[in-house]
Structures are given as structure tokens and as C-alpha cells.
Amino acid sequence: MSFEAVIGATYGFAMIAAIARLMLQFKAHRRFFLDDWLLIFATVCLTTSTVIGYVKVGTLYWSQELNYNEFRVIELISQHVDLAAHINAFQRLYFTYPTVLWLSIFAIKFAYLAFLRRLVDRIKPLIGHWRIVVCITSVSFPVCIISVYVSCDKWGLDAGK
């Protein structure tokens, strides 16, 4: 229960901050810029990952119980529980959750970079530094996404071995 409360409070704070930022931006400029659209995309990703996280909690505890209690596995098999379906459902959530979180994190990073671009637009030395940061961030983005999938060399039921 405390896990859900902390995640809910953190999510609520992030949503309040994002909505307040978007409202102030729209009130000041009467339109959204690229950084605002990236913030909206990040909030959608954060909402998706929060929902997946709430769904995943029970499955995560269940999978850990199966890893450390072989008698529970035997008991479930005797009750004709389809363990393969549960393992596949867990893996779908397991790989989707960090991917959506990385999308949210990098959407915020790119939103800050888009915002900073407007601030350093006329300062030549800072534009060079800004471009370097954009390049590094652009290279690290696919690396972080791909690392979720290449960290495990086994898929399906073989991943449980």
C-alpha cells in the first residue's frame, strides 16, 4: 500500500506542476511551443507508465514468490494454473514499463533543450554547447531504449530459466 501511495503522490505532484506550467505558458503566449508539446507527450507517457506500474505491482510480487518458492510453483501447477500465460503477461509489462518511462524522461529532456534553445538563440558560444548537449542526448536516447531489450538474452518461457 505504501508503494502505491508514494507513486500516487509523486505522480500527482508531477501532474500539478505540468498542468500549471502549461496553463502559465498558454496564458502568457496564447499558443504552445515545441517544449510544451513535448511536455504534454511526457505527461501522457508518465500517466501510461504509472498505470502499468500499478498493474505490474501484483505480478512483480507473484513472480518473485515463484522464483524463491518452488513449492508454490508445484501447488499452482497442481491447480492447473497456466504459468506460461502469467509469465508472458509479466514480460510484456516488464519490457513496456521501462520503455515508456525512458520515453517520458527523454521527452522532458528534449523539452528543456527546446526551451533553452529559445533562450540561447543569439549567443553564439552557447549555441555550440547546446548542440553538443543535443547530440549527446540524441545518442543516449536510443541506447537507453534498446538497453531494456538487450539486457536479457532469453525470451518467453526460456527467460524463467
Side-chain angles (χ1 to χ4, degrees), residues 129-149:
H129 293 292
W130 180 85
R131 286 181 180 153
I132 291 170
V133 172
V134 168
C135 289
I136 292 171
T137 305
S138 297
V139 168
S140 64
F141 174 55
V143 170
C144 289
I145 296 291
I146 291 170
S147 70
V148 172
Y149 297 97

Side-chain angles (χ1 to χ4, degrees), residues 36-103:
D36 302 314
W37 291 110
L38 287 168
L39 179 63
I40 291 168
F41 178 70
T43 57
V44 169
C45 289
L46 183 62
T47 301
T48 304
S49 65
T50 303
V51 169
I52 292 171
Y54 275 113
V55 170
K56 181 180 152 181
V57 169
T59 309
L60 181 66
Y61 293 137
W62 188 79
S63 68
Q64 290 302 311
E65 180 185 8
L66 293 181
N67 281 335
Y68 296 109
N69 187 356
E70 64 254 4
F71 297 112
R72 179 73 173 138
V73 174
I74 294 168
E75 178 186 335
L76 289 172
I77 290 173
S78 68
Q79 295 173 358
H80 303 290
V81 174
D82 188 7
L83 292 178
H86 286 288
I87 290 170
N88 286 332
F90 172 73
Q91 283 185 333
R92 277 194 302 276
L93 290 175
Y94 179 78
F95 289 116
T96 304
Y97 182 69
T99 302
V100 175
L101 279 177
W102 280 121
L103 282 172

